[in-house]
Structure formats: structure tokens, C-alpha cells
Amino acid sequence: MSVPSALSAERLGEWVEPYLSRPDILGIGEVTPPPGQAARLDPVLSLSADHGGVPVLVHGFAPNTLDDLRTYAELAARYPSVPLVVGALGGLHALDLVELAMERSNLFIDLSSALQVFAVTAAAHEVPDQCLFGSNTPYGDVVAARHTVEAAIADRGVRTLVLEDNFQRIFSG
């Protein structure tokens, strides 16, 4: 489900809650809070935790800032049962996101919109269990995104984690 982030924190939680009882809803997102206001996601993560840890996808590229990514990591620490997926490899702050994910096992990195193959390589090397293949479709190209992952990750086992296994793990349990 796509979440209207312009709502107040209280209203955001109220808006999300009815969807969480639907069997066809597998996760919440993509949520894009205004710059500097990532903490507004707290009620969404709280609801997710109350509903068994439904994965939450947040936008990771601009207008998000490095401080927003740090706040996402703090929220991940507060809600360890919630898989918190940061989209677009953290944008211009990809390596910072990798460092943050190293400290939070429930902070996942969507590898779409990678600006450099090096960033995908670094993420897969440091936190292979927390990397998820993404293409940013319809804005990105699935084939190009897959080729980026294949070029960045030589180890077949890690590549399988990124392309399949990690996704299946967070959405099945």
C-alpha cells in the first residue's frame, strides 16, 4: 500500500491500521516523509510491530537527508521486529546507510537506483542478509538493475540472498 505521508503522525497511524488486517497487504510503503521529519514514521512502525512486524518501505533518496537515514536506524532499533526497508540504496548516502545497517539487523537496503556499482558491492559485502534486489520500476529498468547486482556481487550464494532469499524471508515471517 502507498501511504500519504502528508498526514500528521496520529492520522498516519489511523490511516494505515485498517489495511493491516487485509490478507492481500504484505507491507507498508512507500512512505516518504518530508525532509527532516523521518520520526513521523514512529506510529506506522508501532502499528507494524503490533501486527507481527509487517515490512515497511521508506523512501531513501532525496528529499530524504542523511539525518533522515539516521532516524530510520533509530526507529529500527526501537522496533526490532519490524523489517524497515530503506529504498533507493539511501541515494547520495549509500555508504552511510550500509554503516547504519551494520548496527541494525532489521534495517534492510533496497538496492534500486544505485548510483555506483561500488555501493552495491559494499552493501552486499557488509550486510548481505539485509540487501534486497529492487529496480525502481517504472522509473528504473529491471534488466539494468539485475545486471548491476550481477556485476557487483560475484559470490553466487550472496547473489541468491539478494535476488531471492532475503525478500522471501522478510515477507514470509
Side-chain angles (χ1 to χ4, degrees):
M1 98 185 77
S2 180
V3 179
S5 61
L7 297 174
S8 68
E10 181 180 297
R11 294 272 301 128
L12 190 60
E14 291 171 0
W15 190 91
V16 169
E17 188 161 21
Y19 288 95
L20 294 178
S21 62
R22 291 177 40 182
D24 60 324
I25 298 294
L26 300 177
I28 302 169
E30 176 175 31
V31 185
T32 309
Q37 297 184 37
R40 292 178 60 197
L41 292 176
D42 191 274
V44 174
L45 296 176
S46 177
L47 282 169
S48 170
D50 291 346
H51 287 82
V54 176
V56 176
L57 170 66
V58 294
H59 190 73
F61 215 107
N64 283 185
T65 66
L66 179 55
D67 284 339
D68 290 324
L69 298 181
R70 289 179 179 134
T71 299
Y72 294 150
E74 292 168 9
L75 289 168
R78 196 172 309 144
Y79 298 99
S81 67
V82 176
L84 181 55
V85 181
V86 178
L89 194 58
L92 300 175
H93 307 289
L95 298 181
D96 296 300
L97 179 59
V98 171
E99 288 182 15
L100 293 167
M102 290 170 65
E103 298 173 12
R104 305 283 180 246
S105 62
N106 63 319
L107 187 63
F108 288 82
I109 302 173
D110 159 46
L111 299 176
S112 70
S113 302
L115 297 175
Q116 298 177 335
V117 172
F118 173 78
V120 175
T121 302
H125 179 265
E126 296 297 334
V127 288
D129 293 330
Q130 294 163 253
C131 292
L132 302 169
F133 172 75
S135 65
N136 203 23
T137 301
Y139 308 106
D141 181 271
V142 174
V143 174
R146 175 142 185 155
H147 284 300
T148 299
V149 167
E150 291 171 345
I153 306 170
D155 183 293
R156 286 178 164 240
V158 173
R159 208 178 316 138
T160 299
L161 280 174
V162 170
L163 292 173
E164 303 170 32
D165 295 348
N166 292 339
F167 179 84
Q168 290 177 359
R169 186 178 75 249
I170 69 169
F171 281 96
S172 66

